[in-house]
Amino acid sequence: MGVRKDSPSYEIFDTHKEVEGNTLRFIAYRCTGGKNNRSLDYYQKVGSKKIESLFGKFRKKRFNCDVDARNDILTVLPKAESFPYKIDYKVVSETHPGKRKGRGRPKKGEPAPPDVTEWRVDCTWEFDNALAERMAEDYNVRVIVTSVPKAEVTCDNPGNGATGKDILKLYLNQYVVEHSFREYKSGVGADTLFFQSTARMEVLLFLIALGTIIRNLVKILLRRDGSGCKCIPKNVTALKLFRTLTNMLIEFDPVENSIVLDGDEDDTDLLLVSCEVLGLEPERLLG
């Protein structure tokens, strides 16, 4: 799909079924070409935190009997089935001297409190890479349900029929609409505008659409990081650049006709890269 060499390729399974009197198409697809790495990263980063939150509590938790300890761990185990980890556990008992109810030294002849036996659960877990790859393969499968009729060739109007590849293009490109809508609201601030007339609404919508396009183009140009070219990191905003510049001392040497940036090394590198990407000479920072 697409004309670029790095465009993703997909495997598609296209079938249909009668559902409550309507014929629906079920298109299962998955992306091929190493896209499972994202799923593996998810399992390793998010999964490790989830497993720790589920089983880390058993390091300090104590139970009054073996049954309570076993029931508790058996309740938690199903919650870890969606992550590729091998979970091993065993219930052990430990006995320690009991504590006296009162404070101070015991009275002469007072019997020592009986020993107390408690149970705990020893848990260990290990990331299973082979299982993670199988789960990532399954996770990579998506299903599209649509009423668009099936066609053997591409039609001008998808309502008259569409191939499985055409359906996939239609649905996967929906993210563009959602992205633009989000840019309208939070990016350009269109959620705070109120229209008093249709003419004003049309003009403002045109300006907002134009501003969104320009904003997206600027983001693409500034974030472009292919072929070893320099770019502004994705986690750096204009506010971050402003604060970096505010907390940096710029010294100008009139004899050498050069400037020196005095600040944190990472901030200095960020500012120099930003100037290069924006086509701004560092000397212009002096005003």
Side-chain angles (χ1 to χ4, degrees):
M1 293 178 59
V3 295
R4 292 171 44 183
K5 293 182 179 180
D6 59 347
S7 295
S9 57
Y10 294 88
E11 294 178 347
I12 304 175
F13 176 76
D14 190 352
T15 186
H16 66 277
K17 184 178 181 180
E18 294 288 334
V19 180
E20 297 184 357
N22 298 318
T23 301
L24 298 179
R25 291 174 65 184
F26 294 82
I27 301 177
Y29 69 95
R30 66 179 178 182
C31 183
T32 59
K35 291 295 182 179
N36 285 347
N37 291 335
R38 297 178 182 177
S39 299
L40 290 176
D41 291 342
Y42 170 81
Y43 286 134
Q44 289 176 331
K45 295 178 182 179
V46 179
S48 61
K49 295 180 181 180
K50 182 66 175 180
I51 296 300
E52 174 65 29
S53 66
L54 289 174
F55 299 99
K57 63 181 181 180
F58 288 104
R59 297 190 183 100
K60 297 181 179 180
K61 197 170 185 180
R62 298 295 181 266
F63 301 88
N64 294 325
C65 64
D66 175 273
V67 176
D68 288 347
R70 199 170 301 277
N71 288 340
D72 198 357
I73 186 65
L74 292 178
T75 302
V76 177
L77 283 176
K79 300 179 181 179
E81 293 178 353
S82 57
F83 295 95
Y85 282 81
K86 291 182 178 179
I87 310 296
D88 293 324
Y89 75 93
K90 61 180 180 179
V91 178
V92 297
S93 62
E94 54 184 19
T95 302
H96 52 82
K99 295 182 179 180
R100 296 175 57 252
K101 295 182 179 180
R103 301 178 63 181
R105 299 180 61 182
K107 297 180 180 180
K108 186 176 180 179
E110 179 180 351
D115 293 341
V116 177
T117 301
E118 295 179 327
W119 282 260
R120 59 182 174 84
V121 180
D122 283 342
C123 296
T124 59
W125 53 87
E126 181 181 2
F127 184 78
D128 189 338
N129 192 71
L131 178 58
E133 291 181 354
R134 294 196 298 270
M135 294 180 67
E137 190 73 19
D138 295 337
Y139 182 80
N140 200 32
V141 176
R142 301 288 189 272
V143 179
I144 294 175
V145 182
T146 180
S147 59
V148 176
K150 188 175 182 179
E152 299 299 330
V153 295
T154 300
C155 302
D156 293 335
N157 184 2
N160 298 329
T163 65
K165 184 176 180 180
D166 293 334
I167 292 294
L168 203 57
K169 286 184 177 180
L170 287 172
Y171 277 81
L172 292 182
N173 284 337
Q174 289 299 315
Y175 82 93
V176 177
V177 178
E178 298 296 333
H179 173 75
S180 298
F181 186 64
R182 184 189 58 159
E183 290 290 315
Y184 280 9
K185 292 194 303 181
S186 58
V188 186
D191 56 335
T192 60
L193 298 178
F194 297 92
F195 305 114
Q196 299 180 357
S197 65
T198 304
R200 176 174 295 184
M201 177 182 67
E202 293 175 350
V203 172
L204 286 177
L205 284 178
F206 171 77
L207 294 177
I208 290 172
L210 184 61
T212 302
I213 294 174
I214 295 175
R215 190 171 186 266
N216 287 335
L217 287 175
V218 171
K219 289 172 64 177
I220 292 173
L221 292 174
L222 296 183
R223 307 302 186 190
R224 185 174 52 193
D225 56 358
S227 303
C229 63
K230 295 185 178 180
C231 67
I232 298 177
K234 292 184 178 180
N235 61 339
V236 176
T237 62
L239 180 60
K240 168 67 174 177
L241 290 176
F242 173 76
R243 290 176 175 172
T244 300
L245 185 59
T246 303
N247 297 322
M248 187 172 298
L249 180 64
I250 303 177
E251 299 179 356
F252 175 68
D253 186 350
V255 177
E256 299 292 337
N257 193 27
S258 63
I259 66 170
V260 177
L261 302 179
D262 184 11
D264 185 84
E265 183 177 356
D266 292 337
D267 291 342
T268 301
D269 294 340
L270 172 61
L271 192 57
L272 291 176
V273 169
S274 301
C275 288
E276 183 174 346
V277 173
L278 296 172
L280 179 66
E281 294 294 334
E283 289 81 1
R284 300 292 295 274
L285 298 176
L286 296 172

